[in-house]
PDB file of all heavy atoms in Angstrom:
ATOM      1  N   ASP F   1     -21.379  17.083   4.384  1.00 94.00           N
ATOM      2  CA  ASP F   1     -22.069  17.941   3.416  1.00 94.00           C
ATOM      3  C   ASP F   1     -23.225  18.725   4.035  1.00 94.00           C
ATOM      4  O   ASP F   1     -23.719  19.666   3.436  1.00 94.00           O
ATOM      5  CB  ASP F   1     -22.621  17.100   2.263  1.00 94.00           C
ATOM      6  CG  ASP F   1     -21.510  16.497   1.430  1.00 94.00           C
ATOM      7  OD1 ASP F   1     -20.377  16.992   1.493  1.00 94.00           O
ATOM      8  OD2 ASP F   1     -21.787  15.514   0.722  1.00 94.00           O
ATOM      9  N   GLY F   2     -23.667  18.274   5.212  1.00 92.00           N
ATOM     10  CA  GLY F   2     -24.792  18.936   5.869  1.00 92.00           C
ATOM     11  C   GLY F   2     -24.576  18.984   7.372  1.00 92.00           C
ATOM     12  O   GLY F   2     -23.498  18.674   7.874  1.00 92.00           O
ATOM     13  N   ALA F   3     -25.635  19.373   8.081  1.00 91.00           N
ATOM     14  CA  ALA F   3     -25.567  19.472   9.545  1.00 91.00           C
ATOM     15  C   ALA F   3     -25.441  18.080  10.163  1.00 91.00           C
ATOM     16  O   ALA F   3     -26.015  17.114   9.661  1.00 91.00           O
ATOM     17  CB  ALA F   3     -26.800  20.173  10.069  1.00 91.00           C
ATOM     18  N   LEU F   4     -24.692  18.002  11.240  1.00 89.00           N
ATOM     19  CA  LEU F   4     -24.528  16.756  11.983  1.00 89.00           C
ATOM     20  C   LEU F   4     -25.183  16.882  13.354  1.00 89.00           C
ATOM     21  O   LEU F   4     -25.170  17.968  13.936  1.00 89.00           O
ATOM     22  CB  LEU F   4     -23.043  16.419  12.152  1.00 89.00           C
ATOM     23  CG  LEU F   4     -22.261  16.115  10.882  1.00 89.00           C
ATOM     24  CD1 LEU F   4     -20.777  15.980  11.192  1.00 89.00           C
ATOM     25  CD2 LEU F   4     -22.785  14.840  10.248  1.00 89.00           C
ATOM     26  N   PRO F   5     -25.725  15.785  13.896  1.00 89.00           N
ATOM     27  CA  PRO F   5     -26.390  15.870  15.196  1.00 89.00           C
ATOM     28  C   PRO F   5     -25.436  15.993  16.376  1.00 89.00           C
ATOM     29  O   PRO F   5     -25.852  16.317  17.479  1.00 89.00           O
ATOM     30  CB  PRO F   5     -27.183  14.565  15.283  1.00 89.00           C
ATOM     31  CG  PRO F   5     -26.438  13.616  14.402  1.00 89.00           C
ATOM     32  CD  PRO F   5     -25.857  14.451  13.303  1.00 89.00           C
ATOM     33  N   ILE F   6     -24.146  15.716  16.169  1.00 90.00           N
ATOM     34  CA  ILE F   6     -23.164  15.819  17.249  1.00 90.00           C
ATOM     35  C   ILE F   6     -21.889  16.478  16.723  1.00 90.00           C
ATOM     36  O   ILE F   6     -21.590  16.419  15.538  1.00 90.00           O
ATOM     37  CB  ILE F   6     -22.813  14.435  17.842  1.00 90.00           C
ATOM     38  CG1 ILE F   6     -22.254  13.499  16.758  1.00 90.00           C
ATOM     39  CG2 ILE F   6     -24.012  13.794  18.519  1.00 90.00           C
ATOM     40  CD1 ILE F   6     -21.735  12.172  17.267  1.00 90.00           C
ATOM     41  N   ALA F   7     -21.149  17.120  17.617  1.00 90.00           N
ATOM     42  CA  ALA F   7     -19.883  17.749  17.243  1.00 90.00           C
ATOM     43  C   ALA F   7     -18.700  16.851  17.601  1.00 90.00           C
ATOM     44  O   ALA F   7     -17.623  16.975  17.028  1.00 90.00           O
ATOM     45  CB  ALA F   7     -19.736  19.089  17.950  1.00 90.00           C
ATOM     46  N   SER F   8     -18.910  15.955  18.563  1.00 94.00           N
ATOM     47  CA  SER F   8     -17.862  15.030  18.959  1.00 94.00           C
ATOM     48  C   SER F   8     -18.496  13.837  19.663  1.00 94.00           C
ATOM     49  O   SER F   8     -19.680  13.874  20.011  1.00 94.00           O
ATOM     50  CB  SER F   8     -16.851  15.702  19.895  1.00 94.00           C
ATOM     51  OG  SER F   8     -17.468  16.050  21.101  1.00 94.00           O
ATOM     52  N   MET F   9     -17.706  12.800  19.852  1.00 94.00           N
ATOM     53  CA  MET F   9     -18.213  11.648  20.598  1.00 94.00           C
ATOM     54  C   MET F   9     -17.049  10.903  21.236  1.00 94.00           C
ATOM     55  O   MET F   9     -15.900  10.999  20.800  1.00 94.00           O
ATOM     56  CB  MET F   9     -19.022  10.708  19.721  1.00 94.00           C
ATOM     57  CG  MET F   9     -18.258  10.018  18.620  1.00 94.00           C
ATOM     58  SD  MET F   9     -19.263   8.859  17.689  1.00 94.00           S
ATOM     59  CE  MET F   9     -19.069   7.387  18.656  1.00 94.00           C
ATOM     60  N   PHE F  10     -17.374  10.181  22.291  1.00 96.00           N
ATOM     61  CA  PHE F  10     -16.413   9.375  23.028  1.00 96.00           C
ATOM     62  C   PHE F  10     -17.016   7.999  23.224  1.00 96.00           C
ATOM     63  O   PHE F  10     -18.192   7.876  23.561  1.00 96.00           O
ATOM     64  CB  PHE F  10     -16.116  10.031  24.389  1.00 96.00           C
ATOM     65  CG  PHE F  10     -15.362   9.140  25.332  1.00 96.00           C
ATOM     66  CD1 PHE F  10     -14.008   8.915  25.160  1.00 96.00           C
ATOM     67  CD2 PHE F  10     -16.014   8.528  26.389  1.00 96.00           C
ATOM     68  CE1 PHE F  10     -13.307   8.095  26.036  1.00 96.00           C
ATOM     69  CE2 PHE F  10     -15.322   7.705  27.266  1.00 96.00           C
ATOM     70  CZ  PHE F  10     -13.968   7.492  27.087  1.00 96.00           C
ATOM     71  N   ASP F  11     -16.239   6.963  22.983  1.00 95.00           N
ATOM     72  CA  ASP F  11     -16.685   5.622  23.321  1.00 95.00           C
ATOM     73  C   ASP F  11     -15.515   4.834  23.891  1.00 95.00           C
ATOM     74  O   ASP F  11     -14.364   5.249  23.803  1.00 95.00           O
ATOM     75  CB  ASP F  11     -17.353   4.898  22.150  1.00 95.00           C
ATOM     76  CG  ASP F  11     -16.480   4.746  20.926  1.00 95.00           C
ATOM     77  OD1 ASP F  11     -15.270   4.999  20.999  1.00 95.00           O
ATOM     78  OD2 ASP F  11     -17.011   4.367  19.878  1.00 95.00           O
ATOM     79  N   TRP F  12     -15.836   3.725  24.527  1.00 97.00           N
ATOM     80  CA  TRP F  12     -14.812   2.882  25.126  1.00 97.00           C
ATOM     81  C   TRP F  12     -15.279   1.433  25.069  1.00 97.00           C
ATOM     82  O   TRP F  12     -16.457   1.157  24.856  1.00 97.00           O
ATOM     83  CB  TRP F  12     -14.500   3.302  26.564  1.00 97.00           C
ATOM     84  CG  TRP F  12     -15.674   3.195  27.500  1.00 97.00           C
ATOM     85  CD1 TRP F  12     -16.614   4.154  27.750  1.00 97.00           C
ATOM     86  CD2 TRP F  12     -16.036   2.065  28.290  1.00 97.00           C
ATOM     87  NE1 TRP F  12     -17.542   3.687  28.639  1.00 97.00           N
ATOM     88  CE2 TRP F  12     -17.215   2.404  28.997  1.00 97.00           C
ATOM     89  CE3 TRP F  12     -15.495   0.805  28.476  1.00 97.00           C
ATOM     90  CZ2 TRP F  12     -17.839   1.531  29.868  1.00 97.00           C
ATOM     91  CZ3 TRP F  12     -16.126  -0.075  29.346  1.00 97.00           C
ATOM     92  CH2 TRP F  12     -17.280   0.298  30.036  1.00 97.00           C
ATOM     93  N   GLY F  13     -14.339   0.528  25.244  1.00 96.00           N
ATOM     94  CA  GLY F  13     -14.703  -0.874  25.227  1.00 96.00           C
ATOM     95  C   GLY F  13     -13.557  -1.757  25.653  1.00 96.00           C
ATOM     96  O   GLY F  13     -12.448  -1.297  25.929  1.00 96.00           O
ATOM     97  N   PHE F  14     -13.861  -3.059  25.724  1.00 97.00           N
ATOM     98  CA  PHE F  14     -12.840  -4.033  26.075  1.00 97.00           C
ATOM     99  C   PHE F  14     -13.218  -5.392  25.499  1.00 97.00           C
ATOM    100  O   PHE F  14     -14.369  -5.630  25.124  1.00 97.00           O
ATOM    101  CB  PHE F  14     -12.662  -4.147  27.595  1.00 97.00           C
ATOM    102  CG  PHE F  14     -13.792  -4.882  28.275  1.00 97.00           C
ATOM    103  CD1 PHE F  14     -13.731  -6.265  28.447  1.00 97.00           C
ATOM    104  CD2 PHE F  14     -14.902  -4.201  28.729  1.00 97.00           C
ATOM    105  CE1 PHE F  14     -14.770  -6.948  29.054  1.00 97.00           C
ATOM    106  CE2 PHE F  14     -15.941  -4.872  29.337  1.00 97.00           C
ATOM    107  CZ  PHE F  14     -15.873  -6.252  29.500  1.00 97.00           C
ATOM    108  N   ASP F  15     -12.244  -6.249  25.417  1.00 96.00           N
ATOM    109  CA  ASP F  15     -12.512  -7.656  25.146  1.00 96.00           C
ATOM    110  C   ASP F  15     -11.539  -8.475  25.969  1.00 96.00           C
ATOM    111  O   ASP F  15     -10.458  -8.008  26.335  1.00 96.00           O
ATOM    112  CB  ASP F  15     -12.423  -8.000  23.655  1.00 96.00           C
ATOM    113  CG  ASP F  15     -11.030  -7.931  23.099  1.00 96.00           C
ATOM    114  OD1 ASP F  15     -10.245  -8.870  23.346  1.00 96.00           O
ATOM    115  OD2 ASP F  15     -10.712  -6.949  22.419  1.00 96.00           O
ATOM    116  N   ALA F  16     -11.942  -9.699  26.280  1.00 98.00           N
ATOM    117  CA  ALA F  16     -11.109 -10.596  27.072  1.00 98.00           C
ATOM    118  C   ALA F  16     -11.398 -12.030  26.654  1.00 98.00           C
ATOM    119  O   ALA F  16     -12.511 -12.359  26.242  1.00 98.00           O
ATOM    120  CB  ALA F  16     -11.394 -10.410  28.560  1.00 98.00           C
ATOM    121  N   SER F  17     -10.383 -12.867  26.752  1.00 97.00           N
ATOM    122  CA  SER F  17     -10.563 -14.285  26.467  1.00 97.00           C
ATOM    123  C   SER F  17      -9.669 -15.103  27.395  1.00 97.00           C
ATOM    124  O   SER F  17      -8.607 -14.663  27.821  1.00 97.00           O
ATOM    125  CB  SER F  17     -10.234 -14.609  25.013  1.00 97.00           C
ATOM    126  OG  SER F  17      -8.885 -14.356  24.731  1.00 97.00           O
ATOM    127  N   LEU F  18     -10.154 -16.297  27.700  1.00 98.00           N
ATOM    128  CA  LEU F  18      -9.440 -17.222  28.566  1.00 98.00           C
ATOM    129  C   LEU F  18      -9.564 -18.612  27.964  1.00 98.00           C
ATOM    130  O   LEU F  18     -10.685 -19.060  27.665  1.00 98.00           O
ATOM    131  CB  LEU F  18     -10.032 -17.201  29.973  1.00 98.00           C
ATOM    132  CG  LEU F  18      -9.485 -18.216  30.973  1.00 98.00           C
ATOM    133  CD1 LEU F  18      -8.040 -17.897  31.316  1.00 98.00           C
ATOM    134  CD2 LEU F  18     -10.349 -18.215  32.228  1.00 98.00           C
ATOM    135  N   GLY F  19      -8.445 -19.274  27.725  1.00 98.00           N
ATOM    136  CA  GLY F  19      -8.462 -20.623  27.167  1.00 98.00           C
ATOM    137  C   GLY F  19      -7.425 -21.497  27.849  1.00 98.00           C
ATOM    138  O   GLY F  19      -6.412 -21.008  28.358  1.00 98.00           O
ATOM    139  N   TYR F  20      -7.701 -22.797  27.857  1.00 97.00           N
ATOM    140  CA  TYR F  20      -6.788 -23.727  28.501  1.00 97.00           C
ATOM    141  C   TYR F  20      -6.855 -25.072  27.788  1.00 97.00           C
ATOM    142  O   TYR F  20      -7.940 -25.600  27.561  1.00 97.00           O
ATOM    143  CB  TYR F  20      -7.166 -23.899  29.978  1.00 97.00           C
ATOM    144  CG  TYR F  20      -6.270 -24.842  30.723  1.00 97.00           C
ATOM    145  CD1 TYR F  20      -4.974 -24.462  31.071  1.00 97.00           C
ATOM    146  CD2 TYR F  20      -6.702 -26.104  31.084  1.00 97.00           C
ATOM    147  CE1 TYR F  20      -4.139 -25.318  31.753  1.00 97.00           C
ATOM    148  CE2 TYR F  20      -5.867 -26.975  31.773  1.00 97.00           C
ATOM    149  CZ  TYR F  20      -4.593 -26.577  32.104  1.00 97.00           C
ATOM    150  OH  TYR F  20      -3.765 -27.427  32.779  1.00 97.00           O
ATOM    151  N   PHE F  21      -5.705 -25.607  27.414  1.00 96.00           N
ATOM    152  CA  PHE F  21      -5.658 -26.933  26.803  1.00 96.00           C
ATOM    153  C   PHE F  21      -5.768 -27.974  27.917  1.00 96.00           C
ATOM    154  O   PHE F  21      -4.814 -28.188  28.663  1.00 96.00           O
ATOM    155  CB  PHE F  21      -4.377 -27.125  25.995  1.00 96.00           C
ATOM    156  CG  PHE F  21      -4.459 -26.566  24.615  1.00 96.00           C
ATOM    157  CD1 PHE F  21      -4.011 -25.289  24.343  1.00 96.00           C
ATOM    158  CD2 PHE F  21      -5.014 -27.323  23.587  1.00 96.00           C
ATOM    159  CE1 PHE F  21      -4.101 -24.763  23.073  1.00 96.00           C
ATOM    160  CE2 PHE F  21      -5.110 -26.801  22.309  1.00 96.00           C
ATOM    161  CZ  PHE F  21      -4.655 -25.524  22.051  1.00 96.00           C
ATOM    162  N   VAL F  22      -6.930 -28.599  28.041  1.00 96.00           N
ATOM    163  CA  VAL F  22      -7.121 -29.620  29.076  1.00 96.00           C
ATOM    164  C   VAL F  22      -6.379 -30.903  28.716  1.00 96.00           C
ATOM    165  O   VAL F  22      -5.959 -31.644  29.590  1.00 96.00           O
ATOM    166  CB  VAL F  22      -8.612 -29.908  29.334  1.00 96.00           C
ATOM    167  CG1 VAL F  22      -9.295 -28.707  29.947  1.00 96.00           C
ATOM    168  CG2 VAL F  22      -9.326 -30.334  28.066  1.00 96.00           C
ATOM    169  N   VAL F  23      -6.256 -31.176  27.437  1.00 94.00           N
ATOM    170  CA  VAL F  23      -5.369 -32.204  26.888  1.00 94.00           C
ATOM    171  C   VAL F  23      -4.713 -31.566  25.672  1.00 94.00           C
ATOM    172  O   VAL F  23      -5.128 -30.505  25.223  1.00 94.00           O
ATOM    173  CB  VAL F  23      -6.115 -33.516  26.495  1.00 94.00           C
ATOM    174  CG1 VAL F  23      -6.656 -34.221  27.730  1.00 94.00           C
ATOM    175  CG2 VAL F  23      -7.204 -33.265  25.501  1.00 94.00           C
ATOM    176  N   ARG F  24      -3.731 -32.221  25.109  1.00 90.00           N
ATOM    177  CA  ARG F  24      -2.927 -31.616  24.033  1.00 90.00           C
ATOM    178  C   ARG F  24      -3.756 -31.105  22.858  1.00 90.00           C
ATOM    179  O   ARG F  24      -3.396 -30.136  22.203  1.00 90.00           O
ATOM    180  CB  ARG F  24      -1.905 -32.632  23.553  1.00 90.00           C
ATOM    181  CG  ARG F  24      -0.963 -32.105  22.521  1.00 90.00           C
ATOM    182  CD  ARG F  24       0.147 -33.107  22.252  1.00 90.00           C
ATOM    183  NE  ARG F  24       0.951 -32.717  21.129  1.00 90.00           N
ATOM    184  CZ  ARG F  24       2.003 -31.912  21.202  1.00 90.00           C
ATOM    185  NH1 ARG F  24       2.368 -31.422  22.365  1.00 90.00           N
ATOM    186  NH2 ARG F  24       2.687 -31.599  20.128  1.00 90.00           N
ATOM    187  N   CYS F  25      -4.914 -31.713  22.564  1.00 95.00           N
ATOM    188  CA  CYS F  25      -5.663 -31.345  21.356  1.00 95.00           C
ATOM    189  C   CYS F  25      -7.039 -30.734  21.632  1.00 95.00           C
ATOM    190  O   CYS F  25      -7.813 -30.537  20.709  1.00 95.00           O
ATOM    191  CB  CYS F  25      -5.806 -32.562  20.448  1.00 95.00           C
ATOM    192  SG  CYS F  25      -6.734 -33.899  21.199  1.00 95.00           S
ATOM    193  N   LEU F  26      -7.365 -30.416  22.883  1.00 96.00           N
ATOM    194  CA  LEU F  26      -8.688 -29.880  23.215  1.00 96.00           C
ATOM    195  C   LEU F  26      -8.566 -28.636  24.094  1.00 96.00           C
ATOM    196  O   LEU F  26      -7.985 -28.692  25.179  1.00 96.00           O
ATOM    197  CB  LEU F  26      -9.530 -30.934  23.937  1.00 96.00           C
ATOM    198  CG  LEU F  26     -10.941 -30.509  24.327  1.00 96.00           C
ATOM    199  CD1 LEU F  26     -11.786 -30.212  23.083  1.00 96.00           C
ATOM    200  CD2 LEU F  26     -11.600 -31.587  25.171  1.00 96.00           C
ATOM    201  N   GLN F  27      -9.124 -27.520  23.586  1.00 97.00           N
ATOM    202  CA  GLN F  27      -9.046 -26.252  24.310  1.00 97.00           C
ATOM    203  C   GLN F  27     -10.444 -25.670  24.519  1.00 97.00           C
ATOM    204  O   GLN F  27     -11.039 -25.126  23.586  1.00 97.00           O
ATOM    205  CB  GLN F  27      -8.209 -25.234  23.540  1.00 97.00           C
ATOM    206  CG  GLN F  27      -8.160 -23.882  24.213  1.00 97.00           C
ATOM    207  CD  GLN F  27      -7.574 -22.798  23.340  1.00 97.00           C
ATOM    208  OE1 GLN F  27      -7.680 -22.846  22.122  1.00 97.00           O
ATOM    209  NE2 GLN F  27      -6.960 -21.816  23.959  1.00 97.00           N
ATOM    210  N   PRO F  28     -11.005 -25.741  25.726  1.00 98.00           N
ATOM    211  CA  PRO F  28     -12.215 -24.979  26.014  1.00 98.00           C
ATOM    212  C   PRO F  28     -11.831 -23.512  26.265  1.00 98.00           C
ATOM    213  O   PRO F  28     -10.696 -23.213  26.661  1.00 98.00           O
ATOM    214  CB  PRO F  28     -12.774 -25.631  27.279  1.00 98.00           C
ATOM    215  CG  PRO F  28     -11.635 -26.341  27.892  1.00 98.00           C
ATOM    216  CD  PRO F  28     -10.626 -26.622  26.807  1.00 98.00           C
ATOM    217  N   TYR F  29     -12.772 -22.600  26.014  1.00 98.00           N
ATOM    218  CA  TYR F  29     -12.461 -21.188  26.214  1.00 98.00           C
ATOM    219  C   TYR F  29     -13.718 -20.398  26.582  1.00 98.00           C
ATOM    220  O   TYR F  29     -14.844 -20.826  26.342  1.00 98.00           O
ATOM    221  CB  TYR F  29     -11.800 -20.572  24.980  1.00 98.00           C
ATOM    222  CG  TYR F  29     -12.657 -20.613  23.735  1.00 98.00           C
ATOM    223  CD1 TYR F  29     -13.603 -19.627  23.480  1.00 98.00           C
ATOM    224  CD2 TYR F  29     -12.534 -21.647  22.810  1.00 98.00           C
ATOM    225  CE1 TYR F  29     -14.390 -19.670  22.349  1.00 98.00           C
ATOM    226  CE2 TYR F  29     -13.306 -21.693  21.678  1.00 98.00           C
ATOM    227  CZ  TYR F  29     -14.232 -20.704  21.452  1.00 98.00           C
ATOM    228  OH  TYR F  29     -15.020 -20.752  20.331  1.00 98.00           O
ATOM    229  N   LEU F  30     -13.481 -19.243  27.136  1.00 98.00           N
ATOM    230  CA  LEU F  30     -14.499 -18.236  27.433  1.00 98.00           C
ATOM    231  C   LEU F  30     -14.015 -16.935  26.823  1.00 98.00           C
ATOM    232  O   LEU F  30     -12.813 -16.650  26.820  1.00 98.00           O
ATOM    233  CB  LEU F  30     -14.675 -18.043  28.941  1.00 98.00           C
ATOM    234  CG  LEU F  30     -15.111 -19.256  29.750  1.00 98.00           C
ATOM    235  CD1 LEU F  30     -14.991 -18.945  31.234  1.00 98.00           C
ATOM    236  CD2 LEU F  30     -16.537 -19.635  29.391  1.00 98.00           C
ATOM    237  N   ARG F  31     -14.929 -16.132  26.320  1.00 96.00           N
ATOM    238  CA  ARG F  31     -14.548 -14.813  25.812  1.00 96.00           C
ATOM    239  C   ARG F  31     -15.720 -13.859  25.966  1.00 96.00           C
ATOM    240  O   ARG F  31     -16.869 -14.274  26.074  1.00 96.00           O
ATOM    241  CB  ARG F  31     -14.080 -14.873  24.368  1.00 96.00           C
ATOM    242  CG  ARG F  31     -15.121 -15.294  23.382  1.00 96.00           C
ATOM    243  CD  ARG F  31     -14.534 -15.362  21.965  1.00 96.00           C
ATOM    244  NE  ARG F  31     -15.513 -15.849  21.034  1.00 96.00           N
ATOM    245  CZ  ARG F  31     -16.464 -15.123  20.478  1.00 96.00           C
ATOM    246  NH1 ARG F  31     -16.556 -13.837  20.775  1.00 96.00           N
ATOM    247  NH2 ARG F  31     -17.319 -15.654  19.636  1.00 96.00           N
ATOM    248  N   GLY F  32     -15.421 -12.571  25.962  1.00 96.00           N
ATOM    249  CA  GLY F  32     -16.464 -11.572  26.056  1.00 96.00           C
ATOM    250  C   GLY F  32     -15.949 -10.220  25.605  1.00 96.00           C
ATOM    251  O   GLY F  32     -14.738  -9.996  25.532  1.00 96.00           O
TER     252      GLY F  32
END
């Protein structure tokens, strides 16, 4: 409806996770 401070924009990103069942019922993990 009014003026905007930008005409376009670009962004990027990622996510990752790592998990391992050390025994059948226990899973430690890392993520970011």
Side-chain angles (χ1 to χ4, degrees):
D1 293 341
L4 295 173
I6 59 173
S8 65
M9 65 177 272
F10 168 76
D11 59 11
W12 62 272
F14 74 90
D15 69 77
S17 63
L18 174 68
Y20 180 74
F21 277 94
V22 293
V23 293
R24 184 171 171 87
C25 62
L26 181 64
Q27 177 191 29
Y29 61 85
L30 300 170
R31 64 182 176 81

